[in-house]
Amino acid sequence: MQRRKFLTAAVTGLAAAPLAAPALAAGEPEIKWRMASSFPKSLDTIFGGGETIANRVAAATDGKFQIRLFAAGEIVPGLQVLDAVQNGTVELGHSASYYYVGKDPTFAFDTAIPFGLNARQQNAWMYHGGGLELMREFFKDYNIRQIPAGNTGAQMGGWFRKEIKTVEDLNGLKFRIGGFAGKVLTKLGVVPQQIAGGDIYPALEKGTIDAAEWVGPYDDEKLGFNKVAQYYYYPGWWEGGPQLSVYVNLAQWETLPPTYQAILEAACAEANVTMVAKYDAQNMPALRRLVAGGTQLKPYSKDIMEACYKAALELYDETAAANPKFKTVYDAWKLFRDDQHLWFRVAENSFDNFVFAKSAAAASGAAATSTPEASGETAGASAAGGWTRAAIAGVGGLAVGYAGGVAATRARAKPAS
Amino acid sequence: MQRRKFLTAAVTGLAAAPLAAPALAAGEPEIKWRMASSFPKSLDTIFGGGETIANRVAAATDGKFQIRLFAAGEIVPGLQVLDAVQNGTVELGHSASYYYVGKDPTFAFDTAIPFGLNARQQNAWMYHGGGLELMREFFKDYNIRQIPAGNTGAQMGGWFRKEIKTVEDLNGLKFRIGGFAGKVLTKLGVVPQQIAGGDIYPALEKGTIDAAEWVGPYDDEKLGFNKVAQYYYYPGWWEGGPQLSVYVNLAQWETLPPTYQAILEAACAEANVTMVAKYDAQNMPALRRLVAGGTQLKPYSKDIMEACYKAALELYDETAAANPKFKTVYDAWKLFRDDQHLWFRVAENSFDNFVFAKSAAAASGAAATSTPEASGETAGASAAGGWTRAAIAGVGGLAVGYAGGVAATRARAKPAS
């Protein structure tokens, strides 16, 4: 670092100047903070969001502001990160706020609520729709400043040991499911379990639980769920765009130089956009591998979707009636959501559905043979304009796309068959 | 800034120490750079992306690294920002790379190509799909390091003085349209015009052009297009997720301290996620105002979409055959796109389509009366699972949603009718 040495010399050369000499001022202080993550080190996506932040902060401060990241269980269990930041055990946390709905269901809005916003819409609400202001006011009671710092995109609907065809099949099911969605499913007879990511596999393997959802193909494959459950459902209707948040102990935040505050906030925004990009880039190759390995990919039935939707709306009304904080946020959130859905149906969704239908048609044409996986699944497309409905006619692409992937995967595995 | 004075004193106190003394090192140098934007100051969204970056960089460096932002035309015209950075007239630019397809069509991948990626997918390609590496290699020939720094989301399809019902209606049309899409439309008889944002309105008003597309409701309303054209089409199939980029003169980039490089990159990532959030939050209120003011909202016909799609694929093949740089990027991009579309059809699109259909049904129920706008538009939903197709039955929501909005807007405008 020749430049640094040069500048050090330049500053020391100013020793005879008055004490309050401006320009070429001193650097900021050296600070070492600890960040407790709710996630296991094995997940380079969601645990990796914390690493993105720590690395960027270090690079931006020439290593003077150092954040040491700890995986779930290293300092506190994954589901106690909020408490650890609140009581000052650590200065920082990286978590999903809906883990703490047991304290107050209002936490769910900081992550996702069932049938809520997708990732883009969650960001719109947070950064430019009043969400951040509402959430920061709420988090003050927990001595925390929260900063959006990651998103997984719409998640999968979970792993099941047996097929779930009807609403009745949910009754009595012990299902590891995060956040507010557990309360929705309770209305349909499910016995929800809140278990941190790293602890799900043994519970599913031992049969302590019947089903589990985590995130999506890339993470779920790493956690090995496909080895102990065959059926993989979609979509994860309870988290269309779940946000991860950084928690900063409020008293510690106020001691931070404004430059470090600015750097930390920018690094969190960066983690927000790059985490979902990593999920998006990695999920399809992982899903191909899973399907090639025997995983049965299934959409939730219309009946289940409708029953869950109805239960969710009931739960929101009941919760709002009982909890003024929840009501304040929910009322504002609902208006914003309505506008978001209306707007996305115009340009965004009609673009998506057209190109996805074309992609499905191309995949369908590429894979000439039909497959067992093709039954029960149809290609995606429709939307705001009339042309999109016509575009889906006769396209049987989604499962065929996977089958093509499976064939390709198998071909790569057996080059000399 | 008491702390700063204190630390200055501490450093000057080290004067007797050896020249290479570590710790409490000098601050970084004071740097003033100029950034030329391709956009007019009136657009707080897309011009605002540059402001986000300049403000964050200043805050993160205590004002030592200052970026002064200039609107289109202040230093160079909006469409010459690349040249200005390349030849060192300014250190930085903020632009849309597809403005420069006249130099090389490969530039288009840095923004969007017709029927390409949505905003999330563009980020996935850039940050974790190999896109950034490919684009940085390409930009080296222009003496530029590019950094993703904004996105508008899927755009609208433009403003027309007369209805565009068939492919034949495009013939001879003088259409202001950005980037590579102009070349696609040339195949259908359109005479494309490349005009910077701030210069579109007078051209449309004078009749120098017949039609113009810019971004979406929020920007378009500010630029006043609704005053000179009645028909507003969707979607902007040529830009499903167009990225804005920061250009850094490569020689200047290499003189920047690593801390400032890190801060600039983080600030660009932040602008990337917050710009599209701002568009998403602002577009629907603007669209309501436009429709209330008489704008006719129309989807492109299926025939037009199909003809443009066919023309686009032909153009890509022709361009790849003639241009090895384009071919290198296109081949890699295509594989990534196929995976993206396949993956998005599973969880993301099936989630979106379900909640959008529910939103449409709710809007439909809320607005009891049918309206003229409702004709020719159907509510959005379908997708990978069978349940979603059933969900669209009987829903006539999109236009009704607008009608509801129009009614609400009018009600607000005339409180005592």
Side-chain angles (χ1 to χ4, degrees):
Chain A
M1 288 264 135
Q2 285 309 109
R3 180 189 302 108
R4 214 178 132 188
K5 283 186 188 171
F6 172 78
L7 289 171
T8 305
V11 171
T12 52
L14 287 172
L19 285 185
L24 291 180
E28 296 285 13
E30 300 207 8
I31 291 179
K32 289 186 201 297
W33 275 10
R34 302 195 302 172
M35 181 190 280
S37 171
S38 289
F39 313 109
K41 236 170 216 160
S42 59
L43 300 182
D44 60 318
T45 41
I46 199 163
F47 180 82
E51 292 178 311
T52 300
I53 294 163
N55 290 341
R56 184 58 93 188
V57 166
T61 62
D62 198 19
K64 286 188 208 160
F65 183 10
Q66 285 185 25
I67 294 170
R68 191 169 163 205
L69 185 62
F70 294 86
E74 289 189 337
I75 296 178
V76 289
L79 301 182
Q80 291 172 29
V81 166
L82 181 98
D83 310 77
V85 179
Q86 182 180 2
N87 63 30
T89 304
V90 291
E91 293 87 358
L92 293 166
H94 192 225
S95 190
S97 299
Y98 67 9
Y99 290 154
Y100 311 103
V101 290
K103 298 176 191 290
D104 190 319
T106 313
F107 277 110
F109 292 102
D110 194 52
T111 312
I113 73 169
F115 302 103
L117 305 171
N118 67 24
R120 278 257 303 269
Q121 297 172 332
Q122 176 73 10
N123 285 334
W125 187 56
M126 278 287 156
Y127 293 125
H128 289 284
L132 202 52
E133 293 77 2
L134 284 167
M135 282 292 106
R136 290 208 170 145
E137 189 58 34
F138 172 76
F139 270 87
K140 271 186 191 165
D141 290 346
Y142 298 85
N143 194 29
I144 283 173
R145 181 184 178 88
Q146 60 73 254
I147 309 174
N151 202 299
T152 67
Q155 298 196 0
M156 292 293 285
W159 297 84
F160 294 78
R161 289 171 171 278
K162 56 173 188 145
E163 274 194 83
I164 302 294
K165 293 180 176 176
T166 65
V167 178
E168 290 68 39
D169 291 340
L170 294 171
N171 196 31
L173 203 78
K174 280 176 285 177
F175 186 14
R176 184 279 171 194
I177 184 161
F180 211 40
K183 293 193 182 195
V184 173
L185 284 168
T186 301
K187 287 177 175 277
L188 304 172
V190 168
V191 184
Q193 316 279 323
Q194 184 119 297
I195 303 172
D199 303 324
I200 301 172
Y201 179 86
L204 194 58
E205 189 187 27
K206 278 184 240 161
T208 313
I209 55 175
D210 304 308
E213 63 81 36
W214 174 245
V215 172
Y218 183 69
D219 281 3
D220 293 1
E221 181 190 37
K222 286 200 170 183
L223 297 180
F225 301 148
N226 57 310
K227 295 176 201 156
V228 285
Q230 187 181 1
Y231 299 99
Y232 198 18
Y233 280 85
Y234 66 89
W237 44 264
W238 50 88
E239 36 198 347
Q243 173 192 304
L244 291 309
S245 295
V246 156
Y247 302 149
V248 193
N249 178 283
L250 207 48
Q252 293 290 337
W253 170 260
E254 283 157 9
T255 68
L256 216 53
T259 52
Y260 288 5
Q261 290 179 344
I263 288 167
L264 180 58
E265 287 192 327
C268 288
E270 182 175 25
N272 197 4
V273 66
T274 59
M275 185 194 291
V276 69
K278 188 166 195 173
Y279 273 114
D280 287 342
Q282 298 293 349
N283 273 329
M284 190 60 224
L287 186 56
R288 266 213 188 83
R289 290 190 297 269
L290 290 169
V291 172
T295 290
Q296 299 287 315
L297 187 65
K298 301 270 181 192
Y300 277 120
S301 70
K302 177 180 185 317
D303 283 354
I304 290 176
M305 292 293 286
E306 294 288 346
C308 294
Y309 183 75
K310 186 167 167 285
L313 296 197
E314 284 170 11
L315 178 67
Y316 302 153
D317 287 342
E318 290 159 14
T319 310
N323 181 331
K325 287 184 187 177
F326 185 93
K327 185 175 189 312
T328 298
V329 179
Y330 184 51
D331 287 350
W333 179 93
K334 251 195 308 190
L335 288 174
F336 190 79
R337 176 206 61 190
D338 289 346
D339 259 17
Q340 287 297 293
H341 289 180
L342 202 49
W343 163 241
F344 268 68
R345 286 168 54 215
V346 184
E348 197 73 35
N349 194 239
S350 59
F351 175 85
D352 278 354
N353 284 334
F354 185 86
V355 297
F356 295 170
K358 286 295 175 192
S359 175
S364 176
T369 56
S370 173
T371 69
E373 290 95 335
S375 64
E377 302 192 4
T378 59
S382 96
W387 44 264
T388 47
R389 266 204 286 180
I392 60 168
V395 177
L398 183 55
V400 177
Y402 293 108
V406 172
T409 302
R410 285 183 182 149
R412 279 194 291 272
K414 300 178 187 174
S417 69
Chain B
M1 288 265 136
Q2 285 308 109
R3 180 190 303 108
R4 214 176 131 185
K5 283 186 187 170
F6 171 78
L7 288 171
T8 305
V11 171
T12 53
L14 287 173
L19 285 185
L24 291 179
E28 296 286 11
E30 298 206 9
I31 291 179
K32 289 184 202 298
W33 274 11
R34 302 194 304 172
M35 181 190 280
S37 171
S38 288
F39 313 110
K41 238 172 214 159
S42 60
L43 301 181
D44 59 318
T45 41
I46 199 163
F47 179 81
E51 293 178 311
T52 299
I53 294 163
N55 290 341
R56 184 58 92 188
V57 165
T61 63
D62 198 18
K64 286 187 208 161
F65 183 9
Q66 285 185 26
I67 295 171
R68 192 170 162 202
L69 185 63
F70 293 87
E74 288 189 338
I75 297 178
V76 289
L79 302 182
Q80 291 172 29
V81 166
L82 182 99
D83 310 76
V85 179
Q86 182 180 3
N87 64 30
T89 304
V90 290
E91 293 87 357
L92 293 166
H94 191 226
S95 190
S97 299
Y98 66 10
Y99 290 154
Y100 312 103
V101 291
K103 299 176 191 289
D104 190 319
T106 313
F107 277 110
F109 292 102
D110 195 52
T111 313
I113 72 169
F115 302 103
L117 304 172
N118 67 24
R120 277 257 302 269
Q121 296 171 333
Q122 176 73 9
N123 285 335
W125 187 56
M126 278 287 157
Y127 294 125
H128 289 284
L132 202 51
E133 293 78 1
L134 285 166
M135 282 293 105
R136 289 207 171 146
E137 188 60 34
F138 172 76
F139 270 88
K140 272 186 191 165
D141 290 347
Y142 298 85
N143 193 32
I144 283 173
R145 179 184 179 88
Q146 61 71 255
I147 309 174
N151 203 299
T152 67
Q155 298 195 0
M156 291 293 285
W159 296 84
F160 295 78
R161 289 170 171 279
K162 55 171 190 145
E163 274 194 83
I164 302 294
K165 292 179 177 175
T166 66
V167 177
E168 291 68 39
D169 291 340
L170 294 169
N171 196 31
L173 203 77
K174 282 177 286 179
F175 186 14
R176 184 278 172 194
I177 184 162
F180 211 39
K183 294 194 180 193
V184 173
L185 284 168
T186 301
K187 287 177 175 276
L188 304 173
V190 168
V191 185
Q193 316 280 321
Q194 183 119 298
I195 304 173
D199 303 324
I200 300 172
Y201 179 87
L204 194 58
E205 189 187 26
K206 279 183 237 160
T208 313
I209 54 176
D210 303 308
E213 62 82 35
W214 174 244
V215 172
Y218 183 69
D219 280 4
D220 293 3
E221 181 190 36
K222 285 199 170 184
L223 297 179
F225 301 149
N226 56 311
K227 296 176 200 155
V228 286
Q230 187 181 0
Y231 298 98
Y232 198 18
Y233 280 84
Y234 66 90
W237 45 262
W238 50 89
E239 35 197 348
Q243 174 192 302
L244 292 309
S245 294
V246 155
Y247 302 149
V248 192
N249 178 283
L250 207 47
Q252 293 291 338
W253 171 259
E254 282 156 11
T255 68
L256 215 53
T259 52
Y260 289 5
Q261 290 180 343
I263 288 167
L264 180 58
E265 287 191 327
C268 288
E270 183 176 24
N272 197 3
V273 65
T274 58
M275 184 193 291
V276 70
K278 189 168 195 171
Y279 273 114
D280 288 341
Q282 297 293 350
N283 273 329
M284 190 62 225
L287 186 55
R288 267 214 188 82
R289 290 189 297 267
L290 290 169
V291 172
T295 290
Q296 298 286 315
L297 187 65
K298 301 270 181 193
Y300 276 121
S301 71
K302 179 180 187 315
D303 283 354
I304 290 176
M305 292 292 287
E306 293 289 346
C308 293
Y309 183 76
K310 185 167 169 286
L313 296 197
E314 284 171 12
L315 178 67
Y316 302 153
D317 286 343
E318 291 160 14
T319 310
N323 181 331
K325 287 184 188 177
F326 185 94
K327 185 177 189 311
T328 298
V329 180
Y330 184 52
D331 287 349
W333 179 92
K334 251 195 308 190
L335 288 174
F336 189 80
R337 176 205 60 189
D338 289 347
D339 260 17
Q340 286 297 294
H341 289 179
L342 203 48
W343 164 241
F344 268 68
R345 286 168 55 217
V346 184
E348 198 73 34
N349 195 240
S350 59
F351 175 85
D352 278 354
N353 284 334
F354 184 85
V355 296
F356 295 171
K358 285 296 174 191
S359 175
S364 177
T369 57
S370 173
T371 70
E373 289 96 333
S375 63
E377 302 191 6
T378 59
S382 95
W387 45 264
T388 48
R389 265 206 285 182
I392 60 169
V395 177
L398 183 56
V400 177
Y402 293 111
V406 172
T409 303
R410 285 180 182 150
R412 279 193 291 273
K414 300 177 189 173
S417 69

